[in-house]
Amino acid sequence: MAKLFLGLDSSTQSLSAVVIDLDTRKVVYEKSLNFDQALPQFKTRNGVLPHRDPLVKHSPPLLWAAALDLLFAQMKKDKVALGNILAVSGSGQQHGSVYFNDKAAPALAGLDPKKSLVENLAGVFARKTSPVWMDSSTAPECAEIRKKLGGIKFTASRTGSDTFERFTGPQIRKFYKTEPKAYEKTASIALVSSFMASLLAGQIAPIDFGDGAGMNLMDIRRRNWNHDALKATAPSLAKKLPALAEPGKVIGPVSPYFVRKFGLNPEAIATVWTGDNPASAVGLGLIKPGQVAISLGTSDTFFGTMEKCSTDESGEGHVFGSPAGGYLTLICFKNGSLAREKIREYYKISDWKKFGERVAQAPPGNGGGILLPWFEPEIVPRVNRPGVHRFDLDEKNAAANCRAIFEAQMLSMRLHSQWMQVTPEKIFVTGGAANDRALLQVLADVMNCRVLRIEVAKSAALGAALSAAYGWLAAAGKNPQWDKLVAGFSAPVPGSEIKPDKKAARIYDQLIEKYAACESDALDAV
Ligand code: XUL
């Protein structure tokens, strides 16, 4: 019998499945189901409910449950060998929260396969909708919690991050303040990840250290609920939170609902889910401390692993628990590829290949020219009033400006990840811009580090499938090793390695000081 493991990823816009075969080390099945298209009755747009207040972004948790039914039905139709699946795990969009009343636990324990999940879950919610990570309506609650915890530095050092609007604690506080009766009726609060795990396991599932760290409620070092943070957030919160657990820990056998309805292996185990970022890190092969991956996408994201927890005093970066042990940092730069596109369009450059050629035409460091590309409000550094700033840079010189925007983005990453004190020996890069060697050369030179391209289509679902395999092997007493487990699944693209040019690296070692000065000048000005 093939040893199959299922990883699911419940993201903002879709639910995805990846099935891996551990013996052949192959992804044997992958599928994504788009919420808006597959389940139009929930009336979401890009997975989120329209709301008159643009800061409020909620989704219906029943949408995610309905998607789980549909995806299992699809897997059955596609003849996935569900009977050979040994363990199921998953990941969820981080920070979003689901509010159960006291009917939820018995309903989960008795899921009836003759009904849909939506029917089974009728009447189990204390709040009909779930705030998700795109919600930014909790600025007052962030300020209140931060103040009670002693300011940015202490909030970050205790919970792994400063308070952020999308984080679960401020969201819970807003719910308690605006709907105190419904808050009181809340018996248990789940994250998107633990909600989905609860359906699979037929019981209220624990929250893992990875996703739990995105709540401003967990003690990042001790990995338990932080009493002061709970008190600063809402009353009686300890009673409403499930236990915290290692990602991949066995919750129990999968609910008979999935066995009878879809033919899932009755002996398959359901393991604890994690957040999409921690799962992605594993999917990208970040399983040892001191590793770094950079995703150059709509926004640019810096992932790094650390053995010991260090937190960002300025409160810009986040620290989560890593599924492979230790810690994971996530630093998100909003002005990523959209900002690069703005520059490309401004200089009427037709495609990305030509953009890369322009970058290569200008010399490393651009003779000291700097461009700060804050077309949109920026997360790191915090910029609320957007603007583009040029220093010693001729606006008419297209090549210099193309080079300058990418150099600035990479210098910003280097500067704002220094607090991690991680010196990687190589950096994995993924995302659209990772296809361009000229850009990767700039990255290698700025970071003074080897760069290798990685292509993993559904890194979070793959990470979840690997975590299911890890949990199953550990439960079987087989002492799994992460490096052996990920081998073959997330290998760098052959021939993609780029080495830093020593001369260029020295230029950037000096330019970073000027970049930092320009950044503070511009920040003072806005
Ligand atoms: C991380 C975050 C997003 C979501 C996306 O802090 O808010 O990356 O996890 O699903």
Side-chain angles (χ1 to χ4, degrees), residues 12 93-95 133 166-167 276-277 318 320 330:
T12 320
Q93 52 169 311
Q94 294 202 249
H95 319 295
W133 67 278
R166 67 189 192 284
F167 274 46
D276 54 358
N277 291 301
H318 307 310
F320 302 133
L330 179 131

Side-chain angles (χ1 to χ4, degrees), residues 295-298 300 336-337 340 352 355 406 409-410 429-441 443 453:
S295 164
L296 299 172
T298 312
D300 292 339
S337 83
R340 291 188 280 277
W352 287 113
F355 179 84
F406 196 66
Q409 290 172 323
M410 297 305 106
V429 199
T430 182
N435 292 320
D436 193 290
R437 288 186 74 88
L439 297 188
L440 293 193
Q441 186 66 58
L443 169 49
R453 185 155 66 87

Side-chain angles (χ1 to χ4, degrees), residues 243-283:
L244 283 160
E246 296 274 352
K249 186 181 172 241
V250 177
I251 310 170
V254 290
S255 161
Y257 175 90
F258 297 93
V259 177
R260 294 206 201 115
K261 196 161 186 161
F262 305 108
L264 187 60
N265 177 3
E267 279 166 27
I269 51 171
T271 73
V272 173
W273 286 37
T274 189
D276 54 358
N277 291 301
S280 261
V282 169

Side-chain angles (χ1 to χ4, degrees), residues 5 88 106 313 410:
F5 295 92
V88 186
E313 287 191 5
M410 297 305 106

Side-chain angles (χ1 to χ4, degrees), residues 94-95 133 156 159-167 210 213-216 220 277 301-306 309-321 327-333 379-380 382 416 419-420:
Q94 294 202 249
H95 319 295
W133 67 278
T159 72
S161 300
D162 181 22
T163 49
F164 280 85
E165 282 83 347
R166 67 189 192 284
F167 274 46
M215 299 173 82
N216 285 137
I220 189 71
N277 291 301
T301 310
F302 181 100
F303 293 103
T305 50
M306 302 180 286
C309 179
S310 97
T311 48
D312 181 6
E313 287 191 5
S314 70
E316 291 169 343
H318 307 310
V319 180
F320 302 133
Y327 295 89
L328 170 75
T329 49
L330 179 131
I331 316 174
C332 187
F333 304 82
I379 302 175
V380 179
R382 280 182 213 231
H416 294 284
W419 60 270
M420 282 179 63

Side-chain angles (χ1 to χ4, degrees), residues 150-332:
I152 295 181
K153 187 175 155 192
F154 286 106
T155 308
S157 75
R158 277 197 223 187
T159 72
S161 300
D162 181 22
T163 49
F164 280 85
E165 282 83 347
R166 67 189 192 284
F167 274 46
T168 325
Q171 291 289 346
I172 294 174
R173 181 162 178 77
K174 183 183 167 196
F175 180 49
Y176 152 69
K177 278 167 57 185
T178 53
E179 296 179 60
K181 289 221 170 75
Y183 175 76
E184 210 185 303
K185 287 216 173 85
T186 303
S188 182
I189 301 175
L191 292 180
V192 178
S193 58
S194 70
F195 169 67
M196 297 297 277
S198 303
L199 300 180
L200 253 318
Q203 56 175 291
I204 301 222
I207 287 178
D208 90 296
F209 302 143
D211 219 8
M215 299 173 82
N216 285 137
L217 295 174
M218 188 186 95
D219 185 313
I220 189 71
R221 291 181 175 80
R222 298 199 183 112
R223 300 182 171 209
N224 53 19
W225 296 121
N226 180 280
H227 177 73
D228 293 338
L230 265 52
K231 219 170 118 204
T233 301
S236 311
L237 188 49
K239 281 192 263 169
K240 299 179 199 286
L241 292 171
L244 283 160
E246 296 274 352
K249 186 181 172 241
V250 177
I251 310 170
V254 290
S255 161
Y257 175 90
F258 297 93
V259 177
R260 294 206 201 115
K261 196 161 186 161
F262 305 108
L264 187 60
N265 177 3
E267 279 166 27
I269 51 171
T271 73
V272 173
W273 286 37
T274 189
D276 54 358
N277 291 301
S280 261
V282 169
L284 292 172
L286 301 190
I287 41 108
K288 278 191 259 167
Q291 289 183 309
V292 167
I294 293 174
S295 164
L296 299 172
T298 312
S299 49
D300 292 339
T301 310
F302 181 100
F303 293 103
T305 50
M306 302 180 286
E307 189 170 359
K308 290 212 183 87
C309 179
S310 97
T311 48
D312 181 6
E313 287 191 5
S314 70
E316 291 169 343
H318 307 310
V319 180
F320 302 133
S322 163
Y327 295 89
L328 170 75
T329 49
L330 179 131
I331 316 174
C332 187

